[in-house]
Amino acid sequence: MHVTEKLPHDPDAAFLETYDPAEFDRPSVAVDVVVVTVDAGALHALLVRRREAPQRGRWALPGGFVRIEESLDRAAGRVLRDKAGLRGLYLEQLYTFGAPARDPRTRVISVTYLALIDDTRLHQVADARAGDVVLARLRVPWPGQAGGPVLAYVADTKLPTAFDHAAIIGMAVKRLRGKLDYAPISAELLPERFTLRDLQDIHEAIRGHEVNKDSFRRRLLATGWLLPTGEREADVAYRPAELYRLAPPTTKETNDG
Amino acid sequence: MHVTEKLPHDPDAAFLETYDPAEFDRPSVAVDVVVVTVDAGALHALLVRRREAPQRGRWALPGGFVRIEESLDRAAGRVLRDKAGLRGLYLEQLYTFGAPARDPRTRVISVTYLALIDDTRLHQVADARAGDVVLARLRVPWPGQAGGPVLAYVADTKLPTAFDHAAIIGMAVKRLRGKLDYAPISAELLPERFTLRDLQDIHEAIRGHEVNKDSFRRRLLATGWLLPTGEREADVAYRPAELYRLAPPTTKETNDG
DNA sequence: TGAATAGTGTCTATAAGACAATATCCC
DNA sequence: GGGATATTGTCTTATAGACACTATTCA
């Protein structure tokens, strides 16, 4: 077969013939972050109102362009700080969306991230920027490990979402459902101390159906992800449950670019 | 908090102040494909020898820059055709690597893909391009769902790999191990018809340890991923096993950018 | 017939689901 | 004490691992 291209990142003649950066456009690279929380038993995501064309008035994920000298993870963290005033969240790369026409103006490739936060904290920043940002309730029209776009609601009104962001949110939900049993991510959606019931509510909101209480308790306690604090919840009209916190990670996860 | 940036893809004044494309560099965007196969019970990946600086003589993944009008998936498919003469493979997006210094010349963000193929077919293209490409045996130094860079060998000689490609291959192995039980991907590493023993060998090579034969058979047959053909393998010095093929997908998977 | 592996049936160990019983809080 | 939920313990059911046994091919 005739090889018309060369190795990646290889500035030889055959490459320049096709890809001379002075002659050919490069795509823009953005990061978009799906900030997810669970509130009142339902998945929610943070959306920002677009004030300029195109897609003016539609609701978009917080995002921004990647600076030439910053890593993707740092870009996502910066967007989170600057657009939502949030820092220190659980953050992981989700998927990269690059359909040529996903942005009507120019080629924008978006590296998307998933961020998790508890609803109290997210409500604070959302309220502080009311009008600009909203916590949209997510309606996930597919079960299990399937995928697809997700609908965003405020009260019973469906929000118009910008670009392919409904599909990006769908990918976030799919990732959440897929990782729930294999990584201690659900606790990232709760404050530092929480009960097993809190955690079960998170799981049920993400899965979209109820789970068995007994085996849920057994399974999670057996993972070693949780540490009992010896404290109990207060001011409840029933026997107070023990408060747990997330155990420190066991030096496993790495990976970035 | 003071908001210094605007919405993603939003060409208003505040954005242009920071990101005017005429004034600030954009990163280049490449795709790199990890073509994986299992040969003689061991994971292998296709590597291409670099003939130019930097990293001359090192071994790299087949890759190339994304064209301004093509989707990421199409770019990965094109790279596979042009660099390896391969088409019609199972192909899925893996992870996007974007550390600022991962390429010493300029900022290159690489959207990586995982491709699966059976070893007979991959040997054909590798032999046809001997010297330029090699099927490297992978040594995976970490167990289970952990991650990290992977070493590439030819016979007992460790190949020097280019850039962060050892980490990319590591991500490919991690993905394979994670998906093995939830998606019918192992059959993508075999010819159209295969025995359950073939499939078990694939699983053991990917996992890095043996699996229980009885429960493996039960579990795989229960997934509905496999269809018996009624045929049996031939020319074996023992009772021939039934040949299976992959059942058509049940309209679940979607997603792209 | 012997060697080798496929495929079936059965038993045991482990994890999940169901459910009863007791514990602990607020009112 | 009554109401509500936490927590523990036990029983049942489903699944995984272990292993014995039969089946089928080639030499």
Side-chain angles (χ1 to χ4, degrees):
Chain A
M1 172 179 277
H2 185 94
V3 178
T4 58
E5 297 167 74
K6 303 295 281 189
L7 294 173
H9 335 316
D10 198 345
D12 61 277
F15 161 64
L16 290 174
E17 186 182 350
T18 317
Y19 287 110
D20 181 352
E23 191 171 352
F24 290 88
D25 282 340
R26 300 186 192 184
S28 298
V29 180
V31 290
D32 288 306
V33 185
V34 189
V35 184
V36 171
T37 197
V38 171
D39 182 23
L43 274 168
H44 288 70
L46 183 74
L47 295 177
V48 185
R49 187 183 198 101
R50 287 188 56 80
R51 300 202 167 278
E52 312 287 338
Q55 313 258 347
R56 180 174 177 167
R58 286 179 175 264
W59 295 83
L61 298 170
F65 288 89
V66 176
R67 293 182 181 162
I68 198 68
E69 84 302 332
E70 80 185 341
S71 76
L72 301 173
D73 285 9
R74 280 187 175 278
R78 173 175 56 79
V79 160
L80 223 37
R81 283 196 308 278
D82 294 350
K83 301 262 174 172
L86 293 167
R87 56 182 68 222
L89 303 192
Y90 176 88
L91 192 62
E92 71 170 51
Q93 197 192 101
L94 195 55
Y95 196 81
T96 298
F97 292 76
R102 59 181 293 278
D103 188 305
R105 289 159 300 179
T106 180
R107 181 77 191 276
V108 179
I109 291 170
S110 176
V111 183
T112 65
Y113 277 78
L114 168 66
L116 306 180
I117 188 175
D118 69 275
D119 66 301
T120 308
R121 208 175 145 203
L122 190 50
H123 265 300
Q124 287 173 7
V125 313
D127 292 349
R129 299 173 182 218
D132 274 347
V133 308
V134 72
L135 242 73
R137 181 171 47 80
L138 304 181
R139 197 169 96 58
V140 183
W142 33 265
Q145 303 290 346
V150 153
L151 306 178
Y153 284 82
V154 168
D156 289 328
T157 308
K158 180 179 173 305
L159 290 188
T161 46
F163 308 112
D164 54 358
H165 290 193
I168 296 174
I169 300 171
M171 187 66 90
V173 175
K174 186 180 174 187
R175 172 72 60 89
L176 274 173
R177 287 187 178 172
K179 271 191 104 158
L180 216 43
D181 286 336
Y182 306 101
I185 54 169
S186 46
E188 307 286 350
L189 293 161
L190 290 170
E192 196 196 335
R193 286 149 196 276
F194 50 86
T195 67
L196 288 174
R197 162 63 59 184
D198 294 334
L199 209 54
Q200 184 178 345
D201 290 341
I202 297 288
H203 279 245
E204 291 178 343
I206 292 173
R207 293 209 183 289
H209 61 78
E210 297 188 353
V211 304
N212 182 277
K213 178 181 169 180
D214 307 87
S215 77
F216 177 81
R217 289 177 55 91
R218 264 188 310 225
R219 204 155 35 81
L220 257 72
L221 291 176
T223 59
W225 296 338
L226 305 180
L227 294 178
T229 64
E231 299 172 55
R232 298 174 166 276
E233 59 183 339
D235 300 319
V236 290
Y238 45 82
R239 170 176 175 177
E242 171 138 29
L243 293 172
Y244 290 82
R245 63 187 177 83
L246 199 52
T250 58
T251 42
K252 283 261 183 172
E253 300 298 306
T254 47
N255 294 315
D256 171 30
Chain B
M1 171 179 277
H2 185 94
V3 178
T4 57
E5 298 168 73
K6 304 295 280 189
L7 293 172
H9 336 315
D10 196 348
D12 60 278
F15 162 64
L16 289 175
E17 187 181 349
T18 317
Y19 288 109
D20 181 352
E23 193 170 352
F24 292 86
D25 282 341
R26 300 185 192 184
S28 298
V29 180
V31 290
D32 288 307
V33 185
V34 189
V35 185
V36 172
T37 196
V38 171
D39 182 23
L43 275 168
H44 289 68
L46 183 74
L47 294 177
V48 185
R49 187 185 200 99
R50 286 187 58 79
R51 301 201 165 278
E52 313 285 338
Q55 313 259 347
R56 180 173 177 170
R58 286 178 176 266
W59 295 83
L61 298 169
F65 288 88
V66 176
R67 292 181 182 163
I68 198 68
E69 83 304 331
E70 81 186 338
S71 77
L72 301 173
D73 285 8
R74 281 187 175 278
R78 173 175 54 80
V79 161
L80 223 37
R81 284 196 307 281
D82 293 351
K83 302 259 174 172
L86 292 167
R87 56 182 69 221
L89 303 194
Y90 176 87
L91 192 61
E92 73 171 49
Q93 197 192 101
L94 196 53
Y95 195 81
T96 298
F97 291 76
R102 58 181 291 279
D103 188 304
R105 289 158 300 179
T106 181
R107 181 76 191 276
V108 179
I109 291 169
S110 176
V111 183
T112 65
Y113 278 78
L114 168 65
L116 306 180
I117 187 174
D118 69 275
D119 67 300
T120 307
R121 208 175 144 204
L122 190 51
H123 265 300
Q124 286 172 9
V125 313
D127 291 349
R129 298 172 184 219
D132 274 346
V133 308
V134 73
L135 242 73
R137 181 170 47 81
L138 304 181
R139 197 170 95 60
V140 183
W142 32 266
Q145 303 291 345
V150 153
L151 306 178
Y153 286 82
V154 168
D156 288 329
T157 307
K158 182 180 172 301
L159 290 188
T161 46
F163 309 113
D164 54 0
H165 290 192
I168 297 175
I169 299 169
M171 186 67 91
V173 175
K174 186 180 173 187
R175 173 74 58 91
L176 274 172
R177 287 188 179 171
K179 272 191 103 159
L180 216 43
D181 286 337
Y182 306 101
I185 55 169
S186 46
E188 306 288 349
L189 292 160
L190 290 170
E192 197 196 336
R193 288 151 196 273
F194 50 85
T195 67
L196 289 175
R197 160 65 56 184
D198 294 334
L199 208 55
Q200 183 177 346
D201 290 342
I202 297 287
H203 279 243
E204 292 178 343
I206 292 174
R207 295 208 181 289
H209 60 79
E210 296 189 355
V211 304
N212 183 278
K213 177 181 169 180
D214 306 84
S215 77
F216 177 81
R217 289 177 55 91
R218 265 188 309 225
R219 205 156 34 80
L220 264 293
L221 290 176
T223 58
W225 296 338
L226 306 180
L227 294 178
T229 64
E231 302 173 52
R232 300 176 164 272
E233 58 182 341
D235 299 321
V236 289
Y238 45 82
R239 173 176 173 176
E242 172 138 29
L243 294 172
Y244 290 82
R245 61 186 178 86
L246 199 50
T250 58
T251 41
K252 284 257 182 175
E253 301 297 309
T254 47
N255 294 313
D256 174 28

